[in-house]
Amino acid sequence: MAGATAVVLVVEAAVLGFVHLVLGRTTENQSMSIAGGDPDVMSKATYALGAGMAVFLLACAVFLVVAAARDRAPGAFARVLLVSAAVTHGLLGALVVGLVGWGAFAVMMLILCLLVLSLTLYAAKGASGAGEGAGGLGGPAGGSSGPLGGFGGSDGGPGSGLDGGPEVRDTPPGHPLADFGDFGKLGDVKPTSP
């Protein structure tokens, strides 16, 4: 999933870079301006915006390729970058509905879904791996076997603590009313009125 998302982001970076290149060239050739702005400044700003968006998307793609190659969740900085990319695509999807149409909205939502899946699937995989690691303490990697799974019988003898400390035993629960003093003793319960 991360590899497929990286490929989609590379294609999107190329398309957005090309679109901004065409817009900047058109603005420069036609001497266009908005609200009396300098056409040269507008064309350069368009080039810079296109380059910035392309670099941002390519950086997200690189982090996704690294995550796919290592088969591990992205690091903290990469997650922040990918979450910001997902939020950006959500906002752009809401904007392009009125400007471009539902087709562009569907493309933005597809990329948003790919980004979210790339983040959540690795998080779910990490959580399941941590659960298996915690449950597997009693196996060969845990250093002991038996019903206590590494928390009971280890180097200190049967039933001793992990560091050779005092023996830990389960105690049966007391009477449910024991905390209420004499009232908790069933034989001592007396009526309050005749």
Side-chain angles (χ1 to χ4, degrees):
M1 182 61 65
T5 307
V7 171
V8 170
L9 289 180
V10 169
V11 171
E12 183 185 11
V15 169
L16 286 177
F18 177 73
V19 167
H20 282 81
L21 180 66
V22 170
L23 287 175
R25 185 66 57 85
T26 304
T27 303
E28 185 178 357
N29 291 339
Q30 299 294 327
S31 295
M32 294 179 174
S33 66
I34 297 176
D38 186 3
D40 189 43
V41 172
M42 290 186 60
S43 64
K44 288 180 180 177
T46 304
Y47 293 143
L49 181 62
M53 292 177 71
V55 168
F56 174 70
L57 292 173
L58 289 175
C60 292
V62 167
F63 282 120
L64 286 171
V65 167
V66 170
R70 294 180 178 176
D71 198 22
R72 285 190 314 198
F77 178 74
R79 282 197 300 270
V80 169
L81 202 67
L82 293 171
V83 167
S84 63
V87 171
T88 302
H89 280 86
L91 293 174
L92 286 177
L95 289 174
V96 297
V97 172
L99 297 174
V100 181
W102 288 102
F105 174 79
V107 170
M108 289 292 133
M109 292 303 104
L110 174 65
I111 299 172
L112 170 64
C113 291
L114 289 173
L115 286 167
V116 171
L117 278 176
S118 297
L119 288 166
T120 55
L121 289 180
Y122 274 118
K125 181 178 179 182
S128 65
E132 291 173 3
L137 287 175
S144 71
S145 59
L148 296 180
F151 290 105
S154 63
D155 298 330
S160 66
L162 288 176
D163 56 354
E167 181 178 354
V168 178
R169 294 184 182 176
D170 289 335
T171 58
H175 193 276
L177 300 177
D179 292 336
F180 294 102
D182 291 337
F183 180 75
K185 301 175 184 176
L186 295 178
D188 294 340
V189 175
K190 297 176 182 157
T192 57
S193 61

